[in-house]
Each structure stands twice: as structure tokens, then as C-alpha cells.
């Protein structure tokens, strides 16, 4: 058990740092937007949420690729590893085209949803630039799935650290025109994210393919191994995962739209709290991806004792990190809020600060259930399950969470919206735990037939 915990921790660290690196891009973007004013913070933050929606949905498709690679590695089927990677590469291109077109047209949707006009202007300015980061960002996730699936994600760590260090100075220079560069404002912030995403993809590709372990699996070669069957399986498992991701991030996006109807100050406060919650969520999300790969590998070997150890270790690590995040939100809300706004800047900002602090308290309360549900979701993906966890997501987030957000908003305002999201996450964690117990018992009682759990079921 202790050996499993150590192995999972070793593999999880690069994944968590990688997810934190992505979240820090959004966090740093929000900090820089706050320097440009409340309107820019509200509108740019809204644009950032929309971008993160498409990005996290895309991760869902590519998680399927990582799971297929891990399962093939457990069966020692190297041909299937390469086939899964090539299918993932095709999925990356298709997603970039579809998502890019959707983001380009999102402004009219925001108008229809009656968002503040000044927020829409800044959201469109941000999105029209940051959408160009989709291709390198998804390429990075694809390669990350390869190294994770083969159990050696060490190259992810240095790339993620360097990207985190470079993001602020690059974006700040482009935003302010430092060093003789043109002052691009909010578009400079978005351009910084594009540049860092490109550097991350190129850097990971270079470090990965220097290692002998990965040289047989180059995504630009061996296209005679590409399989339409595998591509269909990738989307068969990936689309339900993506839908599940969309259900959760969609709930948060709808919450932002609800809060947007309460005014620009409420929306700005929401962005502050959401960026903090998103940053903390990246820890269990990265851990979930590591758990999913380890479960997939153990499942491929039919080693259910090892599988149980992985799940327990993952949940223990998730509980620890969620508790730490909640303590930070409760103990230091003013410190976190002051990263985004200046207390000396006027009455409107005082209102933003007070509301953001109260929202951070609510966010602290649901850190644990959020961590549990995302890790359990990763566990079920390791079993190559797609549909049933997604049904849980639809029910929890959209039949419980979203209605609760709307109803509680009527009496509690923005605080009620966040309480409703917490309720949806809590229901999801309970239902996913029950589903995991059911699936594990079925697999253990019929180990020779465990392949009957088909991708996407």
C-alpha cells in the first residue's frame, strides 16, 4: 500500500504542476486584467471562463487517449499505444477547428444572454486572441497523455515550471508595452497565453522524444497504423468524458451568467473567487488524471488489489490537498482578494472585495466534495467507462446544481449561486462513489469477463 502511495505521488506531481501551470495562466491573466480596471476584470474574466470551458472539454477527449495508452501499456501492446496516440492527434485538429469557430462567434451569444455591454467588449477582445492557443495547448495535453500512460511523466514538470515563471513577465510586457513593445492591453494578456502555450508544447515534444522510451511513438510518423476504429473508440469514450467536463465547467459558466445579471461588481467578485477556486481545483484534477492512468494500467493487468490501493491513495491525497486549500481560503481571503484589486481605488472596489471574501468562504466549504468527485471520475475513466459517469454529471450539475444556483440567488444573491454549485458537487461525489463500488464488485466477481465493460458504457 505504501509503495502504491509513493508511486502515485511520484506520477501525480508532474500532472498537478502541469494543471497548476494552466490554471496560473488564467489566474495571472485575471490579476493583470484587474490592473486595467473593474470592467476589464469582469469582461476579460468572462472571456477566460469561456476559454477554459472549451479547454477543459477538450481535455476530456484527450483523457480518453491517455486511458487507451495506459490500458495498452498494461497489456504490453505497443502497436495499440501508437494507434491511440495518432487517433488523439486527429482529435486535436478536429477540436481546434470546431472550438475555434465557436469561440469566434461567442460575442452574439453573450449579447443574447444579456451580459453587461462593457463586459462583452472586453470578453471578445480577449477571446479573439487567446483562441489561437488551443492547438499548442491541446498538443501539450496529447503528449502529456502519452508520457503519463507509459508511466514516465518526468518531462512535464520542468516545462510546466518554466511556463509558470515566464507567463507573467511576457503577458505584462505585452499588456503595458514594456521594453518598447506595443501596449496591447487585454489582448496583450491573451497573446502572452498563446506564446507560453506554444513554448510548452515545443518544450515537451523536445524533452519527450529525446528519451528512448518514447521514440517509437512519434505523432508525425507511422500513419499507416492510424485506425478509424480507434478514432471512433477515442470519441466513444472521450465524448462522454468531455460532456461530463462540460457539465461541471458549464455549471460554473452558467453561474457566471447568473451573477452577471446582478451587476458588474458582482461579476468581478465572482471572477476573483472563481480564479482562486480554479487554481485549487487543478490539484485534484491533475491527481485524477494520474489515478485514472494507474487504474487503467492495473485494470489492463486484472490486478484488482493494486487497483484498490491506487484508489485509496488517490482519495487520501485529494482529501489532504482539499483541506489545505480550504484552510487558505478561510484564513487568508483578504490576501487573495488584494492580488486582483486595490483597496484604495474607490467604493465600487470595496463592494467587490467584500463580496469576493464571502464567496471564498463558500468555496472553502466545497473543496473536499469537489476533490472527491473529480478523483472518482478519474477512477471510473480508468475502467473505460463513459456514459454512466456522465449521466451522474448531468443529473448532479444540471438537475440539482443549476436549479439550486438560480433559486438560492433569489434570496442570497451571488452567495446563493455559489452555495448551489457546492450542492451539485456534493451530490456528484456521493453518486460517483456508489457507482465505483458497483463497478468494482462487478469486475472482481467476473475478472475474466472484465473486458465486457466497453468503452463509453
Amino acid at each position: 500500500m505504501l509503495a502504491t502511495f509513493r508511486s502515485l505521488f511520484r506520477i501525480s506531481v508532474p500532472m498537478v504542476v502541469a494543471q497548476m501551470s494552466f490554471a496560473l495562466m488564467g489566474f495571472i491573466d485575471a490579476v493583470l486584467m484587474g490592473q486595467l480596471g473593474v470592467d476589464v476584470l469582469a469582461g476579460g474574466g468572462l472571456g477566460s471562463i469561456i476559454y477554459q470551458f472549451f479547454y477543459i472539454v477538450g481535455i476530456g477527449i484527450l483523457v480518453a487517449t491517455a486511458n487507451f495508452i495506459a490500458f495498452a501499456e498494461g497489456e504490453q501492446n505497443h502497436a495499440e499505444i501508437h494507434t491511440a496516440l495518432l487517433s488523439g492527434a486527429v482529435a486535436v485538429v478536429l477540436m481546434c477547428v470546431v472550438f475555434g469557430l465557436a469561440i469566434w462567434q461567442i460575442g452574439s451569444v453573450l449579447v443574447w444572454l444579456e451580459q453587461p455591454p462593457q463586459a462583452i467588449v472586453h470578453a471578445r477582445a480577449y477571446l479573439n486572441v487567446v483562441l489561437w492557443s488551443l492547438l499548442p495547448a491541446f498538443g501539450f495535453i496529447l503528449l502529456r497523455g502519452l508520457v503519463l500512460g507509459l508511466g514516465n511523466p518526468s518531462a512535464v514538470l520542468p516545462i510546466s515550471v518554466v511556463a509558470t515563471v515566464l507567463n507573467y513577465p511576457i503577458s505584462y510586457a505585452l499588456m503595458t508595452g514594456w521594453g518598447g513593445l506595443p501596449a496591447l492591453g487585454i489582448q496583450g494578456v491573451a497573446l502572452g497565453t498563446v506564446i507560453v502555450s506554444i513554448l510548452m508544447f515545443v518544450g515537451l515534444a523536445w524533452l519527450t522524444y529525446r528519451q528512448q522510451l518514447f521514440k517509437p511513438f512519434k505523432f508525425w510518423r507511422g500513419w499507416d497504423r492510424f485506425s478509424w476504429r480507434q478514432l471512433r473508440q477515442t470519441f466513444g469514450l472521450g465524448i462522454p468524458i468531455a460532456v461530463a467536463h462540460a457539465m461541471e465547467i458549464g455549471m460554473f459558466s452558467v453561474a457566471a451568467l447568473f451573477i452577471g445579471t446582478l451587476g458588474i461588481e458582482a461579476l468581478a467578485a465572482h471572477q476573483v473567487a472563481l480564479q482562486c477556486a480554479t487554481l485549487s481545483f487543478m490539484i485534484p484534477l491533475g491527481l485524477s488524471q494520474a489515478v485514472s492512468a494507474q487504474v487503467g494500467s492495473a485494470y489492463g493487468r486484472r490486478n484488482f488489489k493494486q487497483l484498490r490501493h491506487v484508489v485509496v491513495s488517490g482519495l487520501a491525497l485529494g482529501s489532504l490537498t482539499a483541506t489545505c486549500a480550504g484552510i487558505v481560503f478561510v484564513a487568508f481571503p483578504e490576501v487573495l482578494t488584494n492580488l486582483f484589486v486595490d483597496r484604495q481605488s474607490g467604493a465600487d472596489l470595496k463592494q467587490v472585495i467584500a463580496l469576493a471574501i464571502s464567496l471564498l468562504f463558500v468555496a472553502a466549504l466545497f473543496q473536499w466534495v469537489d476533490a472527491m468527485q473529480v478523483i472518482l471520475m478519474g477512477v471510473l475513466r480508468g475502467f473505460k467507462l463513459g456514459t454512466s459517469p456522465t449521466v451522474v454529471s448531468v443529473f448532479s450539475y444540471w438537475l440539482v446544481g443549476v436549479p439550486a444556483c438560480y433559486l438560492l440567488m433569489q434570496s442570497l444573491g451571488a452567495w446563493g449561486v455559489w452555495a448551489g454549485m457546492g450542492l451539485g458537487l456534493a451530490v456528484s461525489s456521493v453518486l460517483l462513489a456508489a457507482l465505483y463500488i458497483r463497478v468494482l464488485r462487478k469486475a472482481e466477481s467476473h475478472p475474466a469477463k472484465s473486458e465486457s465493460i466497453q468503452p463509453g458504457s
Side-chain angles (χ1 to χ4, degrees):
M1 180 67 180
L2 183 59
T4 300
F5 186 90
R6 289 173 177 171
S7 175
L8 180 63
F9 182 81
R10 176 184 60 83
I11 294 175
S12 296
V13 169
M15 306 307 296
V16 169
V17 173
Q19 288 301 144
M20 290 288 286
S21 178
F22 164 72
L24 278 170
M25 289 186 190
F27 187 90
I28 289 170
D29 284 0
V31 169
L32 291 170
M33 291 171 195
Q35 298 177 18
L36 297 173
V38 172
D39 287 358
V40 178
L41 174 60
L46 184 60
S48 180
I49 290 174
I50 292 168
Y51 172 75
Q52 289 174 10
F53 171 83
F54 286 101
Y55 176 83
I56 293 177
V57 168
I59 287 179
I61 300 292
L62 299 177
V63 163
T65 296
N67 286 347
F68 280 120
I69 290 173
F71 190 83
E73 189 275 334
E75 295 185 322
Q76 292 296 297
N77 189 336
H78 287 184
E80 279 297 307
I81 292 173
H82 200 186
T83 299
L85 179 69
L86 297 178
S87 297
V90 173
V92 165
V93 175
L94 292 175
M95 286 191 298
C96 287
V97 173
V98 174
F99 292 175
L101 290 173
I103 290 174
W104 194 263
Q105 300 297 324
I106 204 70
S108 57
V109 177
L110 296 177
V111 172
W112 180 70
L113 292 172
E114 299 181 350
Q115 295 302 292
Q118 62 270 44
I120 295 175
V121 171
H122 297 303
R124 295 180 72 169
Y126 178 82
L127 287 169
N128 287 346
V129 176
V130 80
L131 69 86
W132 297 104
S133 67
L134 284 176
L135 182 59
F138 285 154
F140 177 85
I141 298 299
L142 176 66
L143 292 181
R144 194 181 70 181
L146 172 65
V147 299
L148 175 62
L150 297 186
N152 184 15
S154 57
V156 174
L157 184 58
I159 296 299
S160 300
V161 171
V162 171
T164 301
V165 172
L166 291 178
N167 190 38
Y168 183 87
I170 291 176
S171 295
Y172 179 81
L174 292 167
M175 179 185 80
T176 62
W178 182 83
L181 294 171
L184 300 176
I186 191 173
Q187 290 190 318
V189 176
L191 182 58
T193 297
V194 175
I195 293 172
V196 172
S197 297
I198 293 172
L199 293 176
M200 290 180 70
F201 170 68
V202 173
L204 182 58
W206 181 66
L207 288 181
T208 296
Y209 289 113
R210 291 178 62 195
Q211 302 180 56
Q212 188 60 42
L213 174 64
F214 303 108
K215 287 184 178 179
F217 311 116
K218 295 176 179 177
F219 63 87
W220 63 90
R221 290 183 180 175
W223 280 90
D224 56 306
R225 291 182 176 176
F226 173 75
S227 166
W228 290 103
R229 172 193 58 81
Q230 179 60 55
L231 183 62
R232 288 193 297 270
Q233 287 187 350
T234 297
F235 281 108
L237 177 60
I239 288 176
I241 298 176
V243 170
H245 284 193
M247 292 301 100
E248 180 172 4
I249 193 68
M251 179 177 67
F252 280 85
S253 299
V254 168
L257 297 174
F258 284 163
I259 291 176
T261 64
L262 300 176
I264 200 74
E265 289 80 12
L267 184 57
H270 173 75
Q271 303 309 333
V272 172
L274 184 62
Q275 288 301 327
C276 294
T278 299
L279 189 61
S280 68
F281 176 70
M282 292 300 114
I283 300 175
L285 180 59
L287 180 59
S288 171
Q289 293 164 3
V291 168
S292 184
Q294 291 286 286
V295 167
S297 182
Y299 179 54
R301 297 191 305 271
R302 309 298 183 263
N303 188 340
F304 294 107
K305 180 179 179 180
Q306 176 72 11
L307 191 153
R308 283 178 175 269
H309 288 172
V310 170
V311 174
V312 172
S313 298
L315 293 175
L317 282 170
S319 297
L320 177 62
T321 60
T323 300
C324 292
I327 290 173
V328 170
F329 288 176
V330 171
F332 307 106
E334 294 89 353
V335 174
L336 295 172
T337 305
N338 287 343
L339 292 173
F340 299 88
V341 295
D342 181 359
R343 282 184 176 272
Q344 308 302 319
S345 298
D348 57 340
L349 285 182
K350 291 181 180 179
Q351 181 181 349
V352 171
I353 292 168
L355 183 54
I357 290 174
S358 69
L359 295 182
L360 281 171
F361 178 77
V362 183
L365 297 179
F366 66 64
Q367 288 300 296
W368 190 83
V369 292
D370 201 9
M372 293 302 98
Q373 64 88 23
V374 75
I375 291 171
L376 287 168
M377 188 72 75
V379 170
L380 294 168
R381 301 314 181 195
F383 282 99
K384 299 197 292 186
L385 286 173
T387 303
S388 49
T390 301
V391 171
V392 169
S393 299
V394 173
F395 175 80
S396 302
Y397 303 144
W398 287 86
L399 297 183
V400 176
V402 170
C405 288
Y406 180 78
L407 293 174
L408 292 174
M409 181 181 71
Q410 308 307 313
S411 57
L412 300 175
W415 199 94
V417 174
W418 277 70
M421 291 191 292
L423 179 61
L425 293 170
V427 171
S428 175
S429 65
V430 171
L431 294 180
L432 289 174
L435 181 58
Y436 160 65
I437 293 171
R438 175 177 172 273
V439 169
L440 180 62
R441 287 176 177 173
K442 178 181 178 181
E444 287 182 322
S445 62
H446 303 287
K449 299 179 181 180
S450 56
E451 286 186 339
S452 63
I453 303 176
Q454 297 298 320
S457 64

